[in-house]
Amino acid sequence: MPALVLLGAQWGDEGKGKATDLLGGSVDYVVRYQGGNNAGHTVVVGDQKYALHLLPSGILSPGCVPVIGNGVVVDPAVLLSELSGLNERGIDTSKLLLSGNAHLITPYHTTMDKVTERFLGSRKIGTTGRGIGPAYADKINRVGIRVQDLYDESILTQKVEAALDFKNQLLAKLYNRRAIEAGRIVEELLGYAEQLKPFVADTTLVLNRAVDDGKVVLFEGGQGTLLDIDHGTYPFVTSSNATAGGACTGAGVGPTKIDRVIGILKAYTTRVGSGPFPTELFDDDGEALRRIGGERGVTTGRDRRCGWFDAVIARYATRVNGLTDFFLTKLDVLTGWERVPVCVAYEIDGKRVEELPYSQTDFHHAKPIYEFLPGWSEDITKAKTFADLPKNAQGYVKALEDMSGAPISAIGVGPGRTETIEINSFV
Ligand code: IMP
């Protein structure tokens, strides 16, 4: 199985680190294909815990080449500080490859992110404030700055001036802020150029050769399916394609080369930021999920909104990603409930709806229709095989699999690295 995509099947934060751990030493390349330092995953190696935002998780495996693809937006200051943080802890980061076509997040993107959110007031998206949306907007508007521009000062200056021309008008006239001086930005960006140079590469060439040579290449999605700019709960989404197709455009690898698409699915649902969330809980159960599941964002430190499992969303993720498998995470968090509600369909304007409505108005009005599955109270964190799980936990997993449209190939039963039940091997 040379090329695998691993992505969040819900609103992100499904626990991708766990899946990457399971794949461990068998992966040759780990590639980020979209997003930027808005992502966040915690990877545990031995007794060490690493919180990564921009770097692919493969940076921690000595045999693996970590790659930042063309579809990622890169804040160079953040990248260099993540690298030096790892170097200080003795991690060799010299194998990293950075696409020369990746776009840069500059200080004016971060400023624009914050001022536009403030301007939106109650209609705000609840972004991570990392400049992600404005950097992608510039890319699409063709006024973005790419990694390769760092190596041509005159082009860089022209591009920064062009990008700031319009933004400075907005900042001064609409947002009542001071204009940003192009020369200062150019100087700052040039300051990163030499440090980044050893990593810059033609990553599409490297990755296609790797796939052709039968190497195991893992494309690691940031965020999740419902935060995808096209297929998510627009406008409450991130500004890139977090779904499987994004792996092709964001890494320059054709769809015929992808063998398997694995959706990470939490045994319940969480979301950060604004936007609709049919199974959201505002009661003690929601609070308990948040507490037991440690549901606080790695990137922003915000409490995550919590709710029961939503099979309509899981089915949708199977459809828009062409999922071949699921990795079910955090099953242990549900231990102790007498019965566990699972949303099997929605009620919208008095009608039962089985599939995610394409209309956001309908989705906003969707009320969950629950089925109640019998719970379990036994500790499941020591389970090594599916048969080790209590009967009701087995029943819960089987029910989710039947409703979600793809086999569950692995189950996370505890926070530790090895607390995973592998049913079908991924590689
Ligand atoms: P942005 O990506 O910072 O523009 O934020 C857009 C939306 O995506 C907000 O609701 C964020 O909370 C959400 N978001 C961005 N990155 C992540 C992530 O890694 N996990 C979960 N939510 C995220």
Side-chain angles (χ1 to χ4, degrees), residues 43-50 89 417:
V43 186
V44 182
V45 182
D47 57 357
Q48 297 285 312
K49 216 174 181 184
Y50 300 90
R89 292 171 73 179
R417 271 194 112 187

Side-chain angles (χ1 to χ4, degrees), residues 8-29:
Q10 296 148 318
W11 274 289
D13 306 314
E14 293 88 355
K16 271 183 288 281
K18 205 83 212 281
T20 332
D21 273 350
L22 182 67
L23 294 162
S26 46
V27 176
D28 300 304
Y29 292 80

Side-chain angles (χ1 to χ4, degrees), residues 11-13 16 37-41 113 125-134 222-224 227 235-239 271-275 299-300 302 304:
W11 274 289
D13 306 314
K16 271 183 288 281
N37 56 308
N38 49 348
H41 44 240
D113 199 354
I125 309 293
T127 72
T128 58
R130 305 291 198 262
I132 308 295
Q223 293 78 51
L227 287 173
F236 303 105
V237 291
T238 193
S239 298
R271 153 163 226 180
V272 243
S274 322
T299 298
T300 59
R302 289 183 285 185
R304 296 180 185 140

